[in-house]
Amino acid sequence: MILSTPAYAWDATVGQICTLSHETDAAKIFLTYEPSKPLYTITVTQSNSDWTQTPWFAMRFEGSSPIEIATSHHVLSDDAKSLTVTNTGFGNVLDGLEYNQIAYAFTQDHVATFSLDGAADPVRIFRECAGAQLS
């Protein structure tokens, strides 16, 4: 009997709303860009635990171009599985995803970790989505 595990890869789609996503056993990260607004979102969904309401949400990217960013403008889903940030510019987030090796999405009491292996090409596709303007 051969057991297989799902292959988790970074994926980008281009359309009316462009997406960038990656999933692990523990969490999923999902970005959208809506050129007509223009508006970006990032949602981090926990598979086996809940986010709690905290005063801030941050992301840290480690690798050749480390960066850490934080915001107090995040919202939780009704079931507390997902945390979302919406903004008109995500340049720092996309730089972090494209140029580093690991990403941490965290609050003061929880962290989701994402390998950035294979992320660079899908991030570039997402950046080019419908002439996306980064701010």
Side-chain angles (χ1 to χ4, degrees):
M1 173 186 264
I2 297 175
L3 297 176
S4 65
T5 58
Y8 296 117
W10 284 88
D11 183 50
T13 63
V14 174
Q16 296 266 344
I17 296 176
C18 301
T19 66
L20 177 67
S21 62
H22 180 66
E23 188 171 352
T24 70
D25 289 332
K28 179 177 182 177
I29 187 169
F30 186 75
L31 290 83
T32 65
Y33 174 66
E34 190 170 349
S36 66
K37 301 250 180 204
L39 193 63
Y40 293 86
T41 67
I42 184 168
T43 301
V44 181
T45 302
Q46 300 295 321
S47 301
N48 302 316
S49 61
D50 296 344
W51 293 101
T52 57
Q53 191 60 51
T54 59
W56 53 265
F57 167 73
M59 292 194 74
R60 182 173 61 238
F61 304 95
E62 293 182 357
S64 60
S65 297
I67 187 172
E68 185 167 305
I69 52 179
T71 184
S72 60
H73 301 288
H74 59 286
V75 294
L76 298 182
S77 62
D78 289 341
D79 65 1
K81 294 283 186 201
S82 299
L83 183 150
T84 300
V85 176
T86 303
N87 203 321
T88 57
F90 266 23
N92 287 336
V93 171
L94 297 178
D95 285 350
L97 294 170
E98 184 173 354
Y99 302 118
N100 290 289
Q101 285 74 47
I102 194 158
Y104 301 98
F106 61 100
T107 61
Q108 62 198 36
D109 60 2
H110 192 76
V111 63
T113 304
F114 299 95
S115 168
L116 299 178
D117 290 343
D121 287 340
V123 171
R124 284 190 285 275
I125 291 168
F126 184 82
R127 283 184 189 270
E128 294 171 6
C129 168
Q133 299 298 309
L134 301 177
S135 49

